[in-house]
Amino acid sequence: MRLLKIIFWVLWRVWFYILMGALILIMLPFLLLSILKEEWYPYFFVMARIWAKGILLGMGFYTKIEREQELEKGKSYMLVANHTSMTDIMLMLSVAQNPFVFVGKKELSKIPLFGFFYKRTCILVDRSSQKSRMEVFARAQKRLNQGLSICIFPEGGVPDEAVMLDEFKDGAFKLAIEHQIPIVPMTFADNKTRMSYTFLSGSPGIMRAKVHRFFDTKGKTLEDKKVIKDEIHSIILKQLEDYSKLKRAPN
């Protein structure tokens, strides 16, 4: 039985990368056209959402999204969520309809095909470089000025699997306050279970996401940053704990 599971996990994981690449190849002409000009990014975003939903469907994942508040069309937001899996990218693209730009680690740009578009459409950061982290703010500000939203996973990376939710970095909250845009906290319940960074693990099934009430930053200053950051961290952590309780509860 263990051997069958290992074979399934290996084939299923390999299929994930095949699916990522195959969908990019199918959409390649349109993707290439959409990145020729920065102002065409919303068209790229539409195709990125199709790509993301195709991967989730092809991997046997189905989403269940609960929303306390809806995003308004044409408005910029700061999107934040817990980070546990590479599928966080796909789920975020499925949840948020407003065009947004990811701020993410530059290592993902090394993935064949995916990395080509990733480094041309996302804001990459080298977390070991102070200069790189400072450049993120300038690039994010430019995107916000273009009317786009920004997505940052505020843990600053994927924490150890034993950690339910790591401490949040300041960047997302500082940007949101400086631009006076609402912060949209989200909790991703099942991505770690469904497809963590542990290779021999995971399975098809439900992926739940909850969009919490938004945090208005109008009139807030950087002095309010820690209070907002801690409150959002508490909301996401509590939701993760509630999901965990539901999972352990007897049927």
Side-chain angles (χ1 to χ4, degrees), residues 58-85:
M59 293 299 294
F61 301 133
Y62 61 97
T63 59
K64 182 178 180 182
I65 303 166
E66 181 183 352
R67 301 178 189 270
E68 293 184 348
Q69 198 169 340
E70 296 282 348
L71 299 175
E72 294 180 26
K73 189 175 180 180
K75 191 170 182 179
S76 293
Y77 297 91
M78 176 61 68
L79 312 176
V80 299
N82 56 305
H83 197 16
T84 57
S85 167

Side-chain angles (χ1 to χ4, degrees), residues 15-75:
W15 170 241
F16 175 73
Y17 291 102
I18 291 173
L19 190 58
M20 281 179 60
L23 288 173
I24 290 173
L25 287 173
I26 291 169
M27 304 170 70
L28 190 60
F30 306 102
L31 290 169
L32 289 171
L33 280 173
S34 68
I35 64 172
L36 291 177
K37 294 183 179 180
E38 271 195 359
E39 56 265 34
W40 291 353
Y41 181 82
Y43 300 108
F44 173 85
F45 181 77
V46 170
M47 287 181 285
R49 294 194 76 213
I50 295 170
W51 170 81
K53 291 181 178 182
I55 290 172
L56 294 178
L57 182 64
M59 293 299 294
F61 301 133
Y62 61 97
T63 59
K64 182 178 180 182
I65 303 166
E66 181 183 352
R67 301 178 189 270
E68 293 184 348
Q69 198 169 340
E70 296 282 348
L71 299 175
E72 294 180 26
K73 189 175 180 180
K75 191 170 182 179

Side-chain angles (χ1 to χ4, degrees), residues 57-237:
L57 182 64
M59 293 299 294
F61 301 133
Y62 61 97
T63 59
K64 182 178 180 182
I65 303 166
E66 181 183 352
R67 301 178 189 270
E68 293 184 348
Q69 198 169 340
E70 296 282 348
L71 299 175
E72 294 180 26
K73 189 175 180 180
K75 191 170 182 179
S76 293
Y77 297 91
M78 176 61 68
L79 312 176
V80 299
N82 56 305
H83 197 16
T84 57
S85 167
M86 192 170 177
T87 55
D88 296 341
I89 293 173
M90 293 81 183
L91 186 56
M92 182 64 77
L93 284 165
S94 296
V95 172
Q97 304 94 333
N98 290 30
F100 67 84
V101 176
F102 281 108
V103 174
K105 56 185 181 181
K106 72 171 189 176
E107 289 82 359
L108 292 181
S109 65
K110 297 176 183 177
I111 299 174
L113 280 179
F114 171 83
F116 175 83
F117 292 98
Y118 179 79
K119 66 184 178 183
R120 284 164 176 79
T121 57
C122 299
I123 300 171
L124 306 191
V125 57
D126 179 357
R127 301 192 189 279
S128 65
S129 167
Q130 176 68 23
K131 181 183 177 183
S132 177
R133 293 198 299 271
M134 294 304 295
E135 287 173 350
V136 165
F137 285 93
R139 294 188 63 193
Q141 286 169 352
K142 181 180 179 183
R143 290 304 208 170
L144 288 168
N145 291 337
Q146 293 170 343
L148 300 173
S149 296
I150 299 291
C151 173
I152 297 178
F153 295 106
E155 290 166 279
V158 178
D160 186 275
E161 289 198 24
V163 177
M164 184 171 284
L165 186 66
D166 211 345
E167 292 182 7
F168 284 175
K169 310 296 184 186
D170 290 341
F173 310 97
K174 181 180 178 183
L175 269 171
I177 291 170
E178 286 180 343
H179 287 268
Q180 300 285 279
I181 58 172
I183 303 171
V184 182
M186 302 184 198
T187 303
F188 294 167
D190 306 293
N191 295 28
K192 183 188 291 187
T193 303
R194 294 297 168 211
M195 197 170 201
S196 74
Y197 279 90
T198 298
F199 191 78
L200 297 179
S201 67
S203 65
I206 190 171
M207 276 189 169
R208 292 166 294 173
K210 182 166 183 177
V211 181
H212 301 278
R213 66 177 179 86
F214 304 168
F215 277 70
D216 191 0
T217 61
K218 285 186 178 178
K220 303 294 184 183
T221 69
L222 291 179
E223 292 181 358
D224 302 302
K225 179 180 60 181
K226 187 178 187 307
V227 172
I228 294 172
K229 179 180 71 172
D230 289 348
E231 189 171 352
I232 290 175
H233 185 280
S234 295
I235 287 171
I236 294 176
L237 180 59

